[in-house]
Amino acid sequence: MAVAVIRTRRGFEPLREDSLTVSNHGPELRATDVQEALRELRRRGRRLSTPRRRVLEALYAAGHPVTADEIAGGLDGRLPPSDSASVYRALDLLDELGLVRHVHLGHGPGRYAPASDVASDYLLCERCGQARAVDSHVLEPVRGAIARAFGWRVRFSHFPIAGLCPTCAAAPRATEEGPCSDSTTT
């Protein structure tokens, strides 16, 4: 049986369970707006602190997955700035409760989105960086094929499926950057 390893300064070491970030494995609480998310917090006996309210407001206002630093910075002036530590604490609790999803879209910090998004999986272009949200039901045949072939029950909700977007796949690899003019998260 193969053991996963990671490269450290001391060489290669076994991959520990706590060295991989994973998102909440519990059920997502799909709130359609900030008010519904706040009601869910109250229903679960949680306080409606200012940082929790601001984080939820930022996530619903952003319209796409954002980093904790973007939230703390006030989303480029759209909301009041917040303390980074408070933002991270609020995000951890909201993720634990299933109100927020944590996703990694390529290199860089994790991003967060309300669990209300219907599209809970992502595709990421390795060349231009474009990320596309995908309804998780569309990937059920892929999950089934992996389960049949390897016995693994997989999720694509925390890390995206990487590859080339249609535009980059059709273009000759002339440069390292892709031909897509829009490399924003959609």
Side-chain angles (χ1 to χ4, degrees):
M1 182 168 161
V3 175
V5 295
I6 59 172
R7 187 176 191 162
T8 68
R9 290 186 304 204
R10 295 183 300 267
F12 289 96
E13 296 181 2
L15 180 66
R16 297 185 332 260
E17 184 178 318
D18 64 347
S19 63
L20 178 65
T21 62
V22 294
S23 59
N24 175 28
H25 291 286
E28 290 182 346
L29 303 174
R30 295 181 182 270
T32 57
D33 59 25
V34 174
Q35 294 308 314
E36 191 175 336
L38 293 172
R39 280 193 297 276
E40 185 60 35
L41 275 174
R42 268 192 232 107
R43 190 181 76 72
R44 295 194 162 231
R46 302 299 180 143
R47 291 183 324 114
L48 300 182
S49 65
T50 300
R52 291 174 188 168
R53 180 182 298 273
R54 283 191 178 162
V55 164
L56 286 167
E57 289 171 351
L59 291 171
Y60 282 93
H64 62 277
V66 293
T67 67
D69 287 341
E70 289 172 323
I71 295 169
L75 295 179
D76 295 326
R78 290 189 281 170
L79 296 168
S82 301
D83 171 56
S84 290
S86 297
V87 168
Y88 278 104
R89 280 192 300 273
L91 286 168
D92 283 344
L93 173 71
L94 296 170
D95 183 42
E96 178 184 318
L97 293 175
L99 285 165
V100 168
R101 287 185 301 107
H102 177 204
V103 63
H104 288 271
L105 299 177
H107 294 290
R111 294 180 173 273
Y112 299 85
S116 64
D117 290 347
V118 173
S120 60
D121 297 332
Y122 292 90
L123 303 176
L124 179 69
C125 181
E126 296 171 332
R127 194 178 294 173
C128 71
Q130 177 185 11
R132 177 177 176 197
V134 178
D135 185 335
S136 62
H137 292 61
V138 173
L139 297 175
E140 283 305 320
V142 176
R143 286 183 188 86
I146 292 171
R148 285 187 301 280
F150 304 104
W152 286 67
R153 287 184 17 215
V154 297
R155 295 179 298 124
F156 303 120
S157 56
H158 189 69
F159 292 103
I161 298 174
L164 295 178
C165 70
T167 305
C168 289
R173 190 173 176 123
T175 65
E176 196 57 33
E177 290 186 25
C180 298
S181 58
D182 179 19
S183 63
T184 59
T185 302
T186 57

